[in-house]
Amino acid sequence: MTCPIDHCGPGDAAPVTLDPFVTDLDAESAVLRAAGPLVRVVLPGGVGVYAVTRHAEARALLTDSRVVKDINVWGAWQRGEIPPDWPLIGLANPGRSMLTVDGDEHRRLRTLVAQALTVRRVEKLRAGIEALTAGMLDRLAALPAGERVDLKAEFAYPLPMNVISELMGVDAAEHPRLKALFEKFFSTQTRPEEVPQMMADLGALFSRIVESRRENPGDDLTSALIAASEDGDHLTTEEITNTLQLMVAAGHETTISLIVNAVVALQTHPEQRARVLKGEVPWENVIEETLRWSTPTSHVLIRFATEDIEVGDRILPKGEGLVVSFGAIGRDEEQHGPTAGEFDVTRTPNRHISFGHGPHVCPGAALSRLEALVALPALYARFPDLTLAVAPEELRHKPVLTQNDLFDLPVHLA
């Protein structure tokens, strides 16, 4: 077969069109893996890029200096083929921050964030996360017996949103507006005519938060970034604002999906759930296996090749965009063996890259793991008889290309 999209590279067959409605992520990931380590794909809106689908090749590309975050390297961007109202423009071109620069500039912008999120400093947040979790579980326990509860809305969402907001200095009063805007930001179904206003509204909201912290600094990371700028670290207001937006977005979305996906995995694998609740298998195993098998981040947009790069028997051409398909990578049999498609909390070793790899590895990985490690055992200790309120096949994926996310998680707590 021939590739119907311009600028295809050697070895390309017909491209895989990624489903904007995400009706069956597992099946789509299997198709991507079967197509090879580097696959031509079509993003919503008809934008053609490449996807890396295997563990070893992804690790290599994520540490390859020829793969960069500078959108000006992207041939399609240079040619004016990416419209400003493309629904995914905010993910491809989110403004200058540690997400979009490389080398020395990346290290400069990342240093303060990385210092704030070391494993040791994150561990100091444990007591606050435990108290927040206990309060939420108290509220759930007070609900009428047998009532159907959306565990995502009532637990998995507010926990990480409150944690990251406190860390970054975002007032809780902003949460409803943030939720509405991030729904549009991540969705593949946001109408093109809504995109420019949505991006402007997000920018204005985070600019207002930065100015609030500038006027009333606190013990939070945004205040620390502002102080560093004033001390001569040369962080611009744009860099501070975009870093804040990046941290809030990534700092709650990934953890929501991790908690939700872990509950679904345990409820659909009752024998393994029983072993975990009996203490035969540690909760750390549940978290790592969920990260691998039902990774919170399905695809990460977007990197760009500064020259032709060999990827197995394929070529990632110069000027092309690269998506990292973590949903496919997590079940790579070449990395995880013939049982890669199975959920197994006893799996060892379990070396996945679901938080990324290389210079742009997720700085909030330790925080996300800690939140899940507090939330999940506390949830099941309080509600050991928790059950899904719908059949697993009735759970609905949100139309979000980058997150393995559900609309809701209906459960009965007892």
Side-chain angles (χ1 to χ4, degrees), residues 21 52 56 79 112 137 166 188 191 303 348 351-352 376:
F21 295 99
V52 58
R79 295 188 294 270
L112 286 169
L137 293 177
E166 182 174 349
T188 62
R191 295 194 298 270
R303 291 164 167 82
T348 183
R351 299 190 181 96
H352 61 78
L376 289 167

Side-chain angles (χ1 to χ4, degrees), residues 219-233:
D219 185 20
D220 57 77
L221 184 52
T222 301
S223 296
L225 292 171
I226 294 169
S229 174
E230 293 171 348
D231 288 342
D233 210 16

Side-chain angles (χ1 to χ4, degrees), residues 122-256:
V122 165
E123 184 61 30
K124 293 181 180 179
L125 302 174
R126 180 185 289 271
I129 295 171
E130 289 174 344
L132 185 60
T133 298
M136 290 181 178
L137 293 177
D138 286 344
R139 286 190 288 275
L140 289 175
L143 295 174
E147 181 172 316
R148 175 168 159 159
V149 175
D150 179 359
L151 194 64
K152 179 183 175 182
E154 300 298 330
F155 184 65
Y157 173 80
L159 175 61
M161 177 54 93
N162 277 281
V163 170
I164 196 65
S165 293
E166 182 174 349
L167 183 68
M168 299 302 299
V170 176
D171 194 286
E174 304 285 6
H175 289 182
R177 183 62 174 152
L178 281 171
K179 187 175 188 298
L181 287 172
F182 278 136
E183 290 277 350
K184 289 186 175 182
F185 180 82
F186 285 106
S187 177
T188 62
Q189 301 306 297
T190 300
R191 295 194 298 270
E193 61 269 23
E194 295 179 333
V195 171
Q197 187 62 53
M198 176 268 292
M199 294 296 293
D201 289 347
L202 268 174
L205 189 154
F206 281 103
S207 293
R208 186 173 73 247
I209 294 171
V210 169
E211 288 310 306
S212 174
R213 294 293 88 193
R214 196 183 299 277
E215 295 171 5
N216 299 287
D219 185 20
D220 57 77
L221 184 52
T222 301
S223 296
L225 292 171
I226 294 169
S229 174
E230 293 171 348
D231 288 342
D233 210 16
H234 306 298
L235 289 166
T236 67
T237 297
E238 178 192 13
E239 289 168 344
I240 295 169
T241 303
N242 290 340
T243 297
L244 171 62
Q245 178 173 329
L246 164 66
M247 293 300 297
V248 173
H252 80 283
E253 286 288 345
T254 299
T255 309
I256 293 168

Side-chain angles (χ1 to χ4, degrees), residues 295-337:
T295 178
T297 305
S298 44
H299 305 280
V300 167
L301 278 59
I302 191 167
R303 291 164 167 82
F304 312 99
T306 60
E307 59 184 79
D308 288 357
I309 301 172
E310 292 186 11
V311 183
D313 62 349
R314 309 288 174 86
I315 296 292
L316 174 61
K318 177 181 178 180
E320 286 292 335
L322 177 71
V323 169
V324 184
S325 293
F326 287 108
I329 291 165
R331 301 192 188 185
D332 180 5
E333 291 188 1
E334 293 182 12
Q335 170 67 15
H336 300 289

Side-chain angles (χ1 to χ4, degrees), residues 262-270 272-273 276 283 286 343 345 380:
V263 171
V264 173
L266 290 173
Q267 295 307 124
T268 53
H269 296 82
Q272 297 191 54
R273 175 175 176 261
V276 173
W283 280 99
V286 176
F343 180 75
V345 294
Y380 278 97

Side-chain angles (χ1 to χ4, degrees), residues 339-358:
T339 64
E342 301 173 12
F343 180 75
D344 180 6
V345 294
T346 67
R347 186 180 303 277
T348 183
N350 193 352
R351 299 190 181 96
H352 61 78
I353 56 170
S354 294
F355 280 117
H357 181 67

Side-chain angles (χ1 to χ4, degrees), residues 58-118:
R59 280 177 60 96
L61 286 170
L62 290 171
T63 54
D64 193 321
S65 62
R66 298 171 295 175
V67 180
V68 301
K69 289 298 197 80
D70 182 1
I71 196 171
N72 294 302
V73 172
W74 194 10
W77 181 263
Q78 295 171 352
R79 295 188 294 270
E81 297 169 7
I82 310 300
D85 59 359
W86 183 40
L88 301 178
I89 191 65
L91 294 166
N93 188 31
R96 184 179 175 80
S97 73
M98 65 181 182
L99 180 68
T100 57
V101 295
D102 299 281
D104 290 341
E105 285 296 283
H106 173 254
R107 284 187 288 274
R108 179 180 71 87
L109 292 172
R110 185 183 173 102
T111 296
L112 286 169
V113 174
Q115 289 173 349
L117 293 175
T118 63

